[in-house]
């Protein structure tokens, strides 16, 4: 992450120096910072709503029931998480919301899942294998119906806006499989070994 | 089909909002209001906690996009993607996708205007959008919310997933359309 972050900024400044876009990038730095804060604060509403709803579902035992249903899958994906851990319930809800294309609901559940996974983490500033797998799952998109782009297609006058659904499901299955498989593979590589990660090293 | 999905997505959230508390209250005797408040309390702090992480990554991405470095990257990759017949017009979408969700949608809208949503390019970028995620944003908020700074292999694994999504989108679109 250190290298990626620094590279983005260095490339930006170098390109700006050559192209004379310096005023644009300094303006972009400030507007992006403002956008970041607005986005974070904007999340609070949906976050509170869905975390509230999730607590009700938890108290009613619904979340645990869902997690039990998915137990075989979770045992394979997150072998380090105990079977009845609340993290698995939150992960189940996050994946469910993602599949249905409910981004507003998926993010709060995902963050809740991360908090629960953090309770199992021996070194609080370093990601565990379960966290990395969960992130890879989430960032590879598991949604079945890409509602946003279908809406965009409809607005642009497509004859059949939803014709891409099958193709998207096929492509997203590939991306999810590869993301999870490579997470599993990387977790075994000495370079990414958790115990050996020193400040700055092994934590790209 | 389209109407069904739209109707379904309109119904899901309200049904959850009424179904879960009703079941909890009627069947499990949960004090639903108190329970909701207890859960909702956490929302605020999570939102505040992710601010520094999101500022860091969005500033870097914002500067990168504003500098025009994306254009250079596209130009550099074009010969490679040209070899396999990947349309050069779709390349910026694939590259921007992990960095910016709204930026990607803007590019896709432009391509819909130019080529039409039912062209090969239109379909390809639709599938790319549907099969990948805004990886950098997801990473910043998911790890930021728990103050994890060392992401280990999460980014390379996720980016490999994104790359696969783009490649698979191209192959599937070539076969289906």
């Amino acid at each position: 992450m250190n290298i990626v972050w620094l590279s983005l900024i260095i490339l930006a400044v170098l390109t700006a120096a050559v192209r004379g876009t310096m005023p644009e990038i300094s303006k972009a730095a400030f507007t992006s910072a403002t956008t970041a804060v607005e986005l974070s604060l904007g999340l609070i509403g949906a976050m509170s709503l869905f975390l509230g709803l999730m607590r009700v579902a938890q108290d009613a035992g619904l979340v645990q029931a869902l997690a039990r249903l998915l137990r075989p899958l979770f045992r394979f994906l997150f072998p380090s998480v105990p079977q009845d851990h609340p993290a698995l319930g939150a992960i189940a809800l996050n994946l469910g919301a993602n599949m249905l294309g409910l981004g507003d609901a998926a993010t709060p559940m995902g963050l809740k899942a991360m908090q629960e996974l953090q309770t199992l983490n021996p070194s609080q500033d370093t990601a565990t294998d379960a966290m990395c797998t969960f992130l890879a799952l989430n960032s590879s998109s598991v949604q079945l119906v890409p509602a946003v782009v279908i809406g965009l297609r409809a607005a642009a006058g497509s004859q059949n806006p939803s014709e891409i659904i099958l193709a998207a499901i096929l492509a997203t299955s590939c991306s999810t499989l590869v993301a999870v498989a490579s997470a599993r593979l990387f977790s075994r590589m000495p370079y990414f070994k958790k115990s050996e990660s020193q400040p700055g090293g092994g934590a790209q | 089909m389209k109407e069904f999905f739209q109707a379904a997505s309109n119904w899901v959230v309200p049904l959850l909002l009424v179904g879960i508390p009703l079941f909890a209250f009627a069947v499990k005797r949960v004090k639903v209001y108190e329970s909701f408040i207890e859960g909702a309390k956490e929302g605020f702090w999570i939102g505040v906690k992710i601010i520094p992480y999101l500022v860091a990554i969005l500033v870097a991405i914002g500067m990168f996009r504003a500098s025009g470095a994306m254009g250079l990257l596209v130009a550099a990759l074009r010969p490679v993607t040209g070899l396999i017949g990947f349309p050069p017009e779709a390349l910026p979408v694939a590259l921007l996708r992990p960095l910016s969700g709204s930026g990607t949608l803007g590019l896709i809208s432009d391509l819909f205007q130019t080529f039409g949503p039912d062209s090969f390019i239109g379909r390809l970028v639709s599938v790319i959008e549907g099969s990948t995620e805004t990886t950098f944003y997801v990473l910043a908020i998911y790890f930021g919310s728990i103050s994890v700074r060392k992401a280990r292999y999460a980014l390379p694994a996720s980016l490999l997933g994104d790359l696969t999504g783009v490649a698979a989108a191209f192959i599937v679109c070539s076969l289906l359309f």
Side-chain angles (χ1 to χ4, degrees):
Chain A
M1 203 61 197
N2 289 314
I3 298 164
V4 174
W5 190 68
L6 197 59
S7 313
L8 280 173
I9 297 178
I10 293 173
L11 276 173
V13 174
L14 285 180
T15 316
V18 176
R19 290 197 162 184
T21 46
M22 224 36 116
E24 280 88 343
I25 69 161
S26 47
K27 191 166 158 264
F30 288 111
T31 50
S32 303
T34 311
T35 312
V37 177
E38 285 167 359
L39 271 175
S40 307
L41 295 181
L43 271 175
I44 292 176
M47 198 96 77
S48 302
L49 170 62
F50 285 105
L51 289 181
L53 190 64
M54 182 178 157
R55 178 62 69 95
V56 176
Q58 254 174 343
D59 289 347
L62 289 169
V63 180
Q64 297 84 329
L66 184 63
R68 257 196 303 278
L69 264 174
L70 294 172
R71 198 174 270 173
L73 176 71
F74 286 159
R75 197 176 299 156
F76 168 73
L77 283 176
F78 309 105
S80 57
V81 181
Q83 275 193 4
D84 289 313
H85 199 271
L88 297 179
I91 291 174
L93 290 178
N94 165 269
L95 295 181
N98 260 326
M99 283 182 183
L100 296 172
L102 302 171
D104 283 346
T107 307
M109 310 298 182
L111 298 184
K112 182 75 192 166
M114 279 294 179
Q115 284 199 325
E116 295 292 349
L117 289 176
Q118 181 75 326
T119 63
L120 299 168
N121 188 358
S123 54
Q124 297 282 303
D125 66 339
T126 309
T128 60
D129 286 333
M131 289 176 183
C132 291
T133 304
F134 181 53
L135 194 97
L137 261 179
N138 255 284
S139 66
S140 70
S141 162
V142 286
Q143 71 173 340
L144 298 179
V145 180
V148 176
V149 83
I150 290 176
L152 211 58
R153 291 170 59 79
S158 166
Q159 295 298 308
N160 186 0
S162 53
E163 70 181 345
I164 51 120
I165 288 179
L166 177 67
I169 290 177
L170 289 174
T172 207
S173 308
C174 296
S175 70
T176 305
L177 280 177
V178 168
V180 171
S182 50
R184 187 54 60 91
L185 202 71
F186 287 149
S187 73
R188 299 199 178 133
M189 284 164 60
Y191 179 74
F192 292 116
K193 267 277 181 328
K194 198 174 168 158
S195 50
E196 286 165 22
S197 67
Q198 276 123 31
Q204 194 194 11
Chain B
M1 181 106 145
K2 180 186 142 207
E3 285 76 15
F4 171 77
F5 282 120
Q6 258 158 11
S9 58
N10 289 338
W11 276 76
V12 173
V13 172
L15 279 181
L16 288 176
L17 279 174
V18 69
I20 293 173
L22 188 65
F23 173 83
F25 186 71
V27 182
K28 300 280 180 172
R29 304 272 164 227
V30 174
K31 291 180 177 151
V32 286
Y33 179 73
E34 273 108 318
S35 182
F36 181 91
I37 301 290
E38 206 48 50
K41 269 184 194 165
E42 295 171 37
F44 181 78
W45 293 111
I46 295 181
V48 173
K49 242 179 155 176
I50 58 182
I51 291 178
Y53 297 86
L54 212 49
V55 168
I57 198 67
L58 290 194
V59 165
I61 291 171
M63 288 172 71
F64 182 76
R65 289 193 61 199
S67 70
M70 193 58 121
L72 294 180
L73 202 56
V74 170
L77 281 176
R78 192 164 290 174
V80 184
T81 53
L83 286 177
I84 54 166
F86 189 89
E89 295 85 356
L91 199 52
V93 173
L95 288 175
L96 190 59
R97 183 69 181 113
L99 300 174
S100 161
S102 55
T104 307
L105 289 178
L107 284 183
I108 291 177
S109 289
D110 288 347
L111 289 175
F112 282 174
Q113 292 292 321
T114 318
F115 299 97
D118 297 326
S119 61
F120 181 74
I121 289 172
R123 285 165 172 158
L124 175 62
V125 294
S126 303
V127 177
I128 290 176
E129 204 280 339
S131 59
T132 47
E133 256 295 341
T134 320
T135 295
F136 283 86
Y137 171 79
V138 174
L139 189 115
I141 63 170
Y142 276 45
F143 283 168
S145 70
I146 50 170
S147 306
V148 160
R149 285 174 287 268
K150 293 172 191 162
R152 292 170 71 213
Y153 54 86
L155 187 63
S158 301
L159 289 178
L160 263 178
D162 287 333
L163 182 67
T164 310
V166 172
F170 177 57
I171 294 168
V172 170
C173 282
S174 304
L175 293 176
L176 282 183
F177 300 122

